[in-house]
């Protein structure tokens, strides 16, 4: 793993939270993106090398809506940038980590992503992400 690429935060209201984080970070949101497959709207902020990704559910049945129902708003996942996501998935699998998907899929921000189950990662949902080279 190369570095923490971003931190994902589940929010109820994108409008409210975006304003809050703009004030908090002193940086504007530089991108919104809808990820249809995850039923989620995202907003990105950049601070140094690390980004903050706000996640708002676009569907009451979506994973973020369910997460907020159970745990409330807040930290949702930590994403690590990797050079070769398939190799990293193999490495983690061989060491007993439970992955939430068999194949990487396309996430927000031009990334291939895969989630690692929080039960095998100290209670934290981890995301592996590899930048898709244009
Ligand atoms: Zn993420």
């Amino acid at each position: 793993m190369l570095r923490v690429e971003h931190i994902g935060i589940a929010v109820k209201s994108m409008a409210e939270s975006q304003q809050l984080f703009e004030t908090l970070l002193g940086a504007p949101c530089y991108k919104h993106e809808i990820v249809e497959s995850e039923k989620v709207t995202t907003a990105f902020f950049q601070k140094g090398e690390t980004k903050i990704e706000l996640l708002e559910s676009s569907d009451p049945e979506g994973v973020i809506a369910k997460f907020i129902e159970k745990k409330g708003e807040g930290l949702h996942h930590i994403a690590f940038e990797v050079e070769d996501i398939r190799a990293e998935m193999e490495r983690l699998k061989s060491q007993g980590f439970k992955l939430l998907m068999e194949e990487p899929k396309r996430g927000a921000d031009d990334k291939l992503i895969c989630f690692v189950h929080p039960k095998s990662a100290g209670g934290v949902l981890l995301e592996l992400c590899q930048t898709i080279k244009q």
Side-chain angles (χ1 to χ4, degrees), residues 5-8 44 53 55 76-79 108 113 115 127 129:
E5 209 279 335
H6 66 268
I7 294 171
F44 283 92
E53 174 187 36
L55 304 148
H76 181 259
H77 65 270
I78 298 177
I113 64 164
F115 285 101
E127 176 187 327
C129 63

Side-chain angles (χ1 to χ4, degrees), residues 36-47:
E36 299 281 357
S37 60
E38 297 283 311
K39 296 182 176 137
V40 76
T41 304
T42 65
F44 283 92
F45 299 83
Q46 177 108 36
K47 271 283 148 176

Side-chain angles (χ1 to χ4, degrees), residues 54-73:
L54 302 183
L55 304 148
E56 180 195 52
S57 192
S58 55
D59 184 305
E61 294 299 309
V63 285
I64 293 301
K66 290 197 168 143
F67 175 88
I68 289 175
E69 224 170 83
K70 265 194 234 159
K71 299 194 169 169
E73 289 183 292

Side-chain angles (χ1 to χ4, degrees), residues 39-109:
K39 296 182 176 137
V40 76
T41 304
T42 65
F44 283 92
F45 299 83
Q46 177 108 36
K47 271 283 148 176
E49 279 221 313
T50 307
K51 297 167 189 159
I52 301 285
E53 174 187 36
L54 302 183
L55 304 148
E56 180 195 52
S57 192
S58 55
D59 184 305
E61 294 299 309
V63 285
I64 293 301
K66 290 197 168 143
F67 175 88
I68 289 175
E69 224 170 83
K70 265 194 234 159
K71 299 194 169 169
E73 289 183 292
L75 180 64
H76 181 259
H77 65 270
I78 298 177
F80 289 93
E81 182 170 31
V82 298
E83 218 150 48
D84 179 343
I85 195 165
R86 285 187 172 83
E88 197 64 17
M89 286 167 74
E90 277 313 310
R91 185 182 75 85
L92 292 178
K93 254 201 284 194
S94 73
Q95 307 225 19
F97 290 92
K98 195 177 166 213
L99 305 181
L100 289 178
M101 43 194 82
E102 285 297 315
E103 274 293 304
K105 69 175 176 181
R106 208 187 166 102
D109 206 28

